[in-house]
Amino acid sequence: MPTPAQHDADVLVVGAGPAGATAARHLAATGLSVLVLEKTSFPREKVCGDGLTPRAVRELLALGLDLSPERGWRRNHGLRLIGGGMRVELPWPELASFPPYGLVRTRLDMDHLLVQHARAAGAEVRERTSVTSAVVDERTGRVVGVRAHAVDERGRRAGEEVEHRAPVVLAADGVSARLALSMGLERREDRPMGVAVRTYYRSPRHEDDWMESWLELWDGEPGRSRLLPGYGWVFGVGDGTSNVGLGVLNSSSAYGKVDYRDLLRRWTATLPGEWHFDEEHRQGKVLGAALPMGFNRTPQHHRGVLLLGDAGGMVNPFNGEGIAYAMESARLAAEVVVQALGRPDADRLRALDAYPAAVRAAWGGYFTLGAVFVKMIGHPAVMEIATRHGLPRPLVMRLVLKLLANLTDPRGGDALDRVVNGLQRLAPAA
């Protein structure tokens, strides 16, 4: 085991997305030395809907960020659901635990801002540095660092492999989870998985202040054509463009067997022409990404490495949201790491085991419910019945919103909060 003098930092963070940058900010703010290794350079684009629920807003506020419109943040009132010939607007719930608004901001902007925020707290972020594997101490079996090399602007290797060492390593390298894979942590096949594609269109709908979700995707006239697998979204970015995309879950018979970009084209072709969701007004490429859900990579702590966000499969199975859980896992990890580094070296791994316990306590039962939900809506008939009978009932839909977005007060909430919280407590932790 290297001596403290041989360490490059107190904590190594692999990846500078929302999980890695958030963890780096929280840790650096405590006075710890933090080294972040990121394979790309900022600003850079990421596949995402760009919509942030109040759960994500809470984490941004915890970082001390100014979320005013003057700083480039676009607020929204809630979720608009469209399906079964109906259109329902559900305001974000008023809760003690979460702010009553959501946000939209492109990942191109937001991720860069989070990295700058981490640097301002004292974290060192090295861009264009690709981590390939963990460094393991042969005597103890503990991970004591990582191997990495520089890459050029095209992502090609541009330097010799070097080692970076620290007492604790945080894996925040996204869905690829290269560090976890180098340690033998494979993806769990018994957990939900999804895929999403999205693009931007120059559209008059860019100032819409509701996050819009389409529960039915048709390839022609609604009700008279073929129902496509998945769900769609339209989020106004406020800069002249709308983020438009769709997601498909692995419980669908179409998962992995269709051209998702073509699905997006066929769906948007059915939408009103005045919205300009067409090739003439498309801004940028149609890009896709996998959505690792419901803790599909475990354990969250392995030999001194903590898995954060997408690297640990922490996407919400109910709504495909990943940013909130990436940032929340980062905050929880930072709290555990601070305590672990304050203990004797021999007791550090035991302290780090508090992290998987924390994330399981936070979302274990909820993710189990989400896995059941994914299996159910994989059948178009179930989605059709739920849409037809649920959307016209305001009380049911308020309950659905709290469940889908995971927005309740754990104590002192209303009857709907108690129902959702009770279901989570009854469900075995994922």
Side-chain angles (χ1 to χ4, degrees), residues 21 38 50 73 85 100 112 125 175 202 232 238 242 249 254 305 342 354 373:
E38 165 60 39
D50 299 333
W73 300 93
H112 192 199
V125 182
V175 65
R202 300 186 303 278
S242 294
L249 298 166
V305 176
F373 172 81

Side-chain angles (χ1 to χ4, degrees), residues 286-331:
V286 179
L287 299 176
L291 302 175
M293 299 175 168
F295 293 146
N296 81 339
R297 200 178 305 276
T298 56
Q300 292 90 5
H301 169 223
H302 186 60
R303 296 190 292 174
V305 176
L306 306 186
L307 306 186
L308 278 55
D310 284 10
M314 296 179 185
V315 174
N316 182 347
F318 282 101
N319 64 3
E321 178 182 20
I323 293 176
Y325 300 89
M327 297 182 70
E328 196 170 335
S329 70
R331 174 172 54 80

Side-chain angles (χ1 to χ4, degrees), residues 77-79 89-94 100 210 398 401:
H77 303 304
L79 183 64
E89 291 183 345
L90 301 170
W92 297 120
E94 295 184 3
W210 291 81
R398 287 199 297 273
L401 178 67

Side-chain angles (χ1 to χ4, degrees), residues 77 156 162 194 208 214 235 281 283 287 291-292 305-306 316 330 339 350 389 393 409:
H77 303 304
R156 299 175 301 192
V162 297
D208 189 358
W214 290 66
F235 298 161
H281 296 90
Q283 190 83 31
L287 299 176
L291 302 175
V305 176
L306 306 186
N316 182 347
Q339 296 298 321
R350 183 181 298 110
H389 296 285
R393 293 169 171 78
D409 278 326

Side-chain angles (χ1 to χ4, degrees), residues 149-201:
H149 59 77
V151 295
D152 63 20
E153 64 277 3
R154 295 186 179 181
R156 299 175 301 192
R157 184 167 179 157
E160 295 298 318
E161 190 169 76
V162 297
E163 290 186 0
H164 300 280
R165 298 198 170 209
V168 179
V169 178
L170 305 185
D173 47 354
V175 65
S176 66
R178 292 183 66 183
L179 184 59
L181 287 172
S182 78
M183 300 162 58
L185 299 180
E186 299 290 337
R187 179 171 69 87
R188 293 184 56 160
E189 299 294 338
D190 61 336
R191 300 295 161 88
M193 193 76 178
V195 66
V197 294
R198 70 98 179 98
T199 191
Y200 297 94
Y201 295 100

